[in-house]
Amino acid sequence: MNIQKVHLLNLLNTGTNQYVIPFFQRPYVWLKEDCENLYEDVIETAKANKINPLKEHFIGTIITKNSSNSSQMAAKYDLVDGQQRMTTFSLLIKALANNVDLNQPNANFLFDNINNSLFFKDAYGEVHYRIMHNRIDTIYFDKVLSSDKNTNFTEPEGKSNILDTYRYFLAKFSGLSNDELLNYNNIILHKFPAISMVLDAHDDEQEIFDTINSLGVKLTTSELLKNYVFSDKQTQDLYKTYWEDIFESDEETIKFWNTKKTAGRVYRENIDVLLYCYLLIETQKDISLEHLFKDYKNWLSGKSFQDKKTFLEGLKSYAEIYATFPSGTELNNLKFDDKEKRFFHVIENLNITTIFPLVLYIYKSVADETEREQCLELLESYLVRRNICRLTTKNYNNLFISIIKSIKETSETTIFEALKNTLHSYKEDTNRFPEDTDVKNAFANSILSNQHAKETLYIIALYQVKTVLNDVTVLSANSFSVEHMMPKKWEENWSKLETQEEKNARNYKLLTFGNLTIITKNLNSKLRNSAWSNKKTVLQQYSSLPLTTKYTVLEDWNESTINNRAEDLEAIALQIWKK
């Protein structure tokens, strides 16, 4: 391979070189914050060059590969890595060109000087783009490159990261003189070097991708896997049906699959969570998100074309299911009887994303909606009871694998019965389904994080709104925060205790469920720590929920009333989360 330091001038202004972004590469993903960083780099580099003309700003590695599609008209290179940066610089240069004041002397020559970095002419005078985009980005990229300053990008073209980036730079460099625009263009072309790595036709770009990924460059599992699967010419005919139409059909779809969600202690794109789920379901083995691509390579290695097609068909099926799962703003407002939304709200707020493979498997295996709801209610009960009882989540990835295995091997007539029997068969603290007595004890004694306690109280509040008030009003969890009815700093305004043992017991008891409620305002310290005679009025003001108002009529609030309220909450919890 040929490796050398080059400037953008060498990449964008060399003969008939044309960089083709392979169709299986990811779409353009730069956002405003990325553009802001580049803009600041350009401005700072320009300032620095006034003092030190040798100052440069390194932009990383650009990897290309000699293409077999080259001709006398164009020396084509596949752009293996660097498409995001090369696209962005092209959009920036186009923004500079379109800001040229054409009413000034020699302005047309200046416009051509800047703009021509984005094009070249072949031997017959035909104009070609220096960078050829792929699939969904083509229409937007070509629209920008053929535009002038006054081009109006109307819907549907308006919703595009490419257009947003172009608009950003067009606005940023607006109002500059032609000389200033020329200076910035020269800075970009001459002072932003890269390491150019040009692969020969026989070099393995997949190995290069793997190496880049191992060094920590941001290449997601989906990008690596897409490159790996569709680099095989036989599978490329499957790309549109089994990848583009599912993951890249339009900007909204791309945004959904690139949206990050918690996966254990890290954030992963939806598409990587889906890939993790699929491989786990298929292999029934513990899969590491950190080494997911490596696991896929090992699994796919040696598989026939038909095997790969079967894989893509299965992935498409699971993706269509995954995309229907309620998430984000869909979970902002709930009614108790929104059983599906309630389940996904619970697992999101209890941070139990390792259950997704099991949920996906159930959705794919259970066609009957009633049975599916039964499965979700049972799993919700199982997870919430374990959370209330503070039983470990450390083994959940292996636990859910074992449940999938058990369901697959069952002789039961329904998935629900198989799931129920499996959950009820567990006896160890790492996997057991807590008994009613465990839940009763937990409400009296467990101390949960505010987030987990809030989720339990929120679901109880939904139940009470429905059953006590006979109200169908939705509640938003985002509107509530956890409040201690007896404050943690109680000593100044509450009844005095004689011994340190009594004080320790109170300090522990006030952290348990019986003393926790949810209200619609974060109280300041004066209100939060005030005496019960005032505090109960404040609680009434900021909560109309029965789990609060039923108790603010009491003349006193102490350990005894806390215990009584814990028993009340526990009784409701057992109605909601049945075993």
Side-chain angles (χ1 to χ4, degrees):
M1 63 183 70
N2 179 19
I3 302 175
Q4 60 179 322
K5 175 185 174 182
V6 298
H7 294 87
L8 284 175
L9 178 72
N10 305 104
L11 294 170
L12 295 175
N13 292 66
T14 301
T16 61
N17 285 0
Q18 185 179 59
Y19 304 102
V20 180
I21 297 173
F23 75 92
F24 48 78
Q25 287 276 30
R26 66 174 171 174
Y28 183 71
V29 296
W30 272 45
L31 301 174
K32 183 180 178 181
E33 52 264 35
D34 303 307
C35 298
E36 288 172 342
N37 291 335
L38 178 57
Y39 175 75
E40 290 173 5
D41 292 337
V42 172
I43 299 301
E44 291 302 317
T45 304
K47 288 180 180 177
N49 266 263
K50 293 178 180 180
I51 302 171
N52 177 12
L54 299 179
K55 182 68 174 178
E56 295 181 328
H57 187 90
F58 179 60
I59 61 170
T61 302
I62 304 294
I63 303 175
T64 58
K65 181 177 181 178
N66 284 297
S67 172
S68 58
N69 294 322
S70 291
S71 66
Q72 290 182 328
M73 301 299 103
K76 295 189 176 185
Y77 296 85
D78 290 332
L79 190 49
V80 176
D81 185 57
Q83 63 146 352
Q84 303 288 324
R85 285 162 288 159
M86 292 286 281
T87 298
T88 304
F89 277 108
S90 297
L91 298 171
L92 195 165
I93 290 169
K94 185 62 182 178
L96 292 176
N98 281 351
N99 269 310
V100 170
D101 183 355
L102 296 177
N103 295 317
Q104 299 299 313
N106 300 317
N108 287 324
F109 180 80
L110 174 61
F111 173 85
D112 290 341
N113 179 273
I114 298 174
N115 199 54
N116 285 349
S117 294
L118 309 176
F119 306 89
F120 67 90
K121 290 183 179 180
D122 64 26
Y124 292 96
E126 185 177 347
V127 177
H128 302 268
Y129 292 141
R130 185 69 70 180
I131 296 176
M132 292 294 292
H133 254 277
N134 66 12
R135 303 287 173 169
I136 192 170
D137 285 335
T138 300
I139 183 174
Y140 304 114
F141 189 71
D142 293 357
K143 186 89 171 176
V144 170
L145 262 60
S146 62
S147 71
D148 60 36
K149 186 173 185 177
N150 298 316
T151 299
N152 181 25
F153 299 104
T154 56
E155 302 292 347
E157 293 94 344
K159 293 181 179 179
S160 161
N161 287 338
I162 282 182
L163 295 185
D164 288 344
T165 294
Y166 166 71
R167 290 190 187 108
Y168 173 84
F169 288 123
L170 187 69
K172 280 295 184 180
F173 291 101
S174 177
L176 299 183
S177 69
N178 286 355
D179 286 343
E180 289 173 315
L181 294 170
L182 175 60
N183 179 58
Y184 282 123
N185 186 60
N186 288 335
I187 289 292
I188 290 165
L189 293 179
H190 295 272
K191 300 300 180 181
F192 278 74
I195 298 299
S196 172
M197 183 182 297
V198 183
L199 310 179
D200 290 331
H202 63 271
D203 287 330
D204 185 358
E205 67 266 39
Q206 184 61 49
E207 185 176 343
I208 300 296
F209 257 68
D210 293 355
T211 302
I212 294 171
N213 194 49
S214 68
L215 293 175
V217 177
K218 186 183 176 184
L219 292 171
T220 66
T221 297
S222 60
E223 292 157 6
L224 292 163
L225 182 63
K226 180 169 65 169
N227 181 72
Y228 179 74
V229 172
F230 296 107
S231 60
D232 177 357
K233 292 188 181 299
Q234 194 176 16
T235 60
Q236 288 181 7
D237 290 339
L238 305 175
Y239 179 80
K240 186 175 190 316
T241 300
Y242 296 109
W243 196 279
E244 182 184 5
D245 288 352
I246 303 302
F247 303 114
E248 300 170 355
S249 59
D250 54 46
E251 288 289 327
E252 285 302 309
T253 301
I254 292 168
K255 182 179 179 181
F256 170 77
W257 289 111
N258 286 337
T259 298
K260 292 186 176 182
K261 71 189 316 166
T262 55
R265 297 181 179 178
V266 296
Y267 282 86
R268 298 289 183 184
E269 287 84 358
N270 274 322
I271 190 170
D272 282 0
V273 175
L274 170 70
L275 291 170
Y276 162 80
C277 292
Y278 179 86
L279 191 57
L280 187 147
I281 291 168
E282 288 299 308
T283 63
Q284 296 173 44
K285 295 178 180 177
D286 189 15
I287 302 297
S288 167
L289 273 164
E290 296 298 324
H291 304 101
L292 185 54
F293 174 62
K294 182 179 179 181
D295 288 340
Y296 260 104
K297 271 188 74 175
N298 292 336
W299 183 66
L300 289 169
S301 178
K303 288 191 181 297
S304 66
F305 167 74
Q306 186 56 50
D307 291 335
K308 291 179 181 178
K309 183 179 181 182
T310 300
F311 153 61
L312 292 170
E313 289 171 341
L315 185 63
K316 177 176 182 283
S317 177
Y318 278 115
E320 290 169 344
I321 294 170
Y322 186 99
T324 68
F325 287 169
S327 63
T329 56
E330 293 178 88
L331 301 177
N332 283 355
N333 298 290
L334 292 183
K335 293 183 293 186
F336 182 79
D337 288 336
D338 292 334
K339 295 177 182 178
E340 182 184 51
K341 286 185 178 181
R342 196 180 77 211
F343 171 79
F344 282 96
H345 194 281
V346 166
I347 64 172
E348 182 173 296
N349 285 278
L350 297 186
N351 299 320
I352 309 176
T353 52
T354 48
I355 199 173
F356 267 93
L358 173 58
V359 176
L360 267 173
Y361 178 75
I362 289 171
Y363 268 70
K364 192 170 189 297
S365 304
V366 180
D368 181 71
E369 189 173 334
T370 300
E371 184 184 353
R372 188 187 297 166
E373 276 194 355
Q374 287 178 312
C375 291
L376 295 183
E377 285 188 286
L378 182 64
L379 286 172
E380 181 186 331
S381 293
Y382 177 72
L383 296 173
V384 172
R385 281 187 178 223
R386 288 185 59 82
N387 180 260
I388 291 169
C389 296
R390 299 196 63 190
L391 295 174
T392 182
T393 62
K394 288 183 179 179
N395 194 44
Y396 271 10
N397 53 341
N398 288 316
L399 171 62
F400 299 133
I401 292 172
S402 71
I403 294 173
I404 292 172
K405 284 182 179 179
S406 179
I407 293 175
K408 282 187 173 184
E409 296 168 358
T410 187
S411 58
E412 296 292 343
T413 55
T414 67
I415 296 293
F416 171 71
E417 287 300 325
L419 177 63
K420 185 176 181 180
N421 289 342
T422 299
L423 295 180
H424 286 183
S425 70
Y426 294 137
K427 303 300 180 186
E428 303 297 326
D429 278 353
T430 55
N431 54 24
R432 70 184 179 88
F433 203 143
E435 301 292 341
D436 291 359
T437 52
D438 297 317
V439 175
K440 182 179 179 66
N441 181 62
F443 267 89
N445 299 297
S446 279
I447 298 175
L448 271 61
S449 69
N450 270 11
Q451 180 178 337
H452 290 178
K454 175 184 170 182
E455 184 65 12
T456 301
L457 294 169
Y458 171 65
I459 303 299
I460 289 175
L462 287 176
Y463 178 84
Q464 286 185 312
V465 166
K466 175 198 170 187
T467 58
V468 177
L469 302 181
N470 295 315
D471 197 340
V472 293
T473 303
V474 298
L475 298 178
S476 170
N478 295 335
S479 302
F480 297 102
S481 61
V482 173
E483 178 62 30
H484 295 74
M485 297 173 73
M486 178 186 291
K488 287 188 278 188
K489 296 181 179 181
W490 54 269
E491 295 196 53
E492 183 177 344
N493 296 313
W494 290 64
S495 60
K496 306 300 181 184
L497 297 177
E498 297 297 327
T499 68
Q500 188 60 46
E501 185 178 358
E502 289 176 318
K503 292 178 182 179
N504 291 340
R506 171 171 285 184
N507 288 333
Y508 184 91
K509 180 60 67 174
L510 62 81
L511 299 177
T512 60
F513 270 108
N515 192 53
L516 304 180
T517 192
I518 51 177
I519 63 174
T520 55
K521 181 180 175 66
N522 279 313
L523 303 181
N524 61 40
S525 58
K526 182 177 180 180
L527 294 177
R528 181 181 301 119
N529 299 328
S530 60
W532 177 244
S533 58
N534 183 55
K535 181 73 176 280
K536 65 181 183 178
T537 304
V538 174
L539 292 175
Q540 286 174 331
Q541 183 179 354
Y542 296 114
S543 178
S544 59
L545 301 175
L547 62 81
T548 306
T549 58
K550 180 180 176 181
Y551 304 94
T552 53
V553 298
L554 299 177
E555 290 300 318
D556 195 16
W557 191 254
N558 52 40
E559 287 79 356
S560 176
T561 51
I562 290 173
N563 285 332
N564 292 339
R565 183 168 176 273
E567 290 179 3
D568 293 343
L569 294 176
E570 163 256 316
I572 299 169
L574 293 178
Q575 287 297 312
I576 300 171
W577 296 297
K578 298 180 174 68
K579 183 172 178 181

